[in-house]
Amino acid sequence: MLGSNVFVLESPWWLVQKNRLPKAEKVLAFAYKNVNGYNVKEQLSIIVATVERHRLINGEEKSQLREIFTGVNL
């Protein structure tokens, strides 16, 4: 099993979350190289927008939880 992990590609979603966009683009290009009409830049921009949206939503949820547990005078 350890030997097979060497050949497995990293997820483009994980790479975008770690701000490794050039590597994510290379993985997408390699994984979909035989698909006609596949636009790597467009797909990468969708992934980036989705990850940024999730970060924004998670940040709002954390601030709402913080507001619940803080008093009015704090």
Side-chain angles (χ1 to χ4, degrees), residues 17 25-26 31-32 37-38 40 50 69:
Q17 289 175 352
E25 186 174 354
K26 287 180 185 176
Y32 295 100
Y38 185 81
V40 174
T50 305
F69 294 110

Side-chain angles (χ1 to χ4, degrees), residues 57-70:
I57 290 171
N58 287 338
E60 289 175 359
E61 288 176 357
K62 288 179 183 177
S63 68
Q64 289 174 354
L65 286 174
R66 190 177 307 127
E67 290 173 7
I68 291 172
F69 294 110
T70 57

Side-chain angles (χ1 to χ4, degrees), residues 8-19:
V8 175
L9 296 174
E10 294 174 330
S11 166
W13 289 87
W14 182 84
L15 291 168
V16 169
Q17 289 175 352
K18 300 299 179 186
N19 294 322

Side-chain angles (χ1 to χ4, degrees), residues 26-65:
K26 287 180 185 176
V27 169
L28 283 173
F30 179 75
Y32 295 100
K33 65 183 172 190
N34 294 328
V35 177
N36 293 332
Y38 185 81
N39 189 343
V40 174
K41 298 274 187 191
E42 180 182 347
Q43 196 65 28
L44 186 61
S45 67
I46 292 170
I47 294 171
V48 169
T50 305
V51 168
E52 288 175 358
R53 178 70 179 148
H54 281 278
R55 286 179 182 162
L56 178 66
I57 290 171
N58 287 338
E60 289 175 359
E61 288 176 357
K62 288 179 183 177
S63 68
Q64 289 174 354
L65 286 174

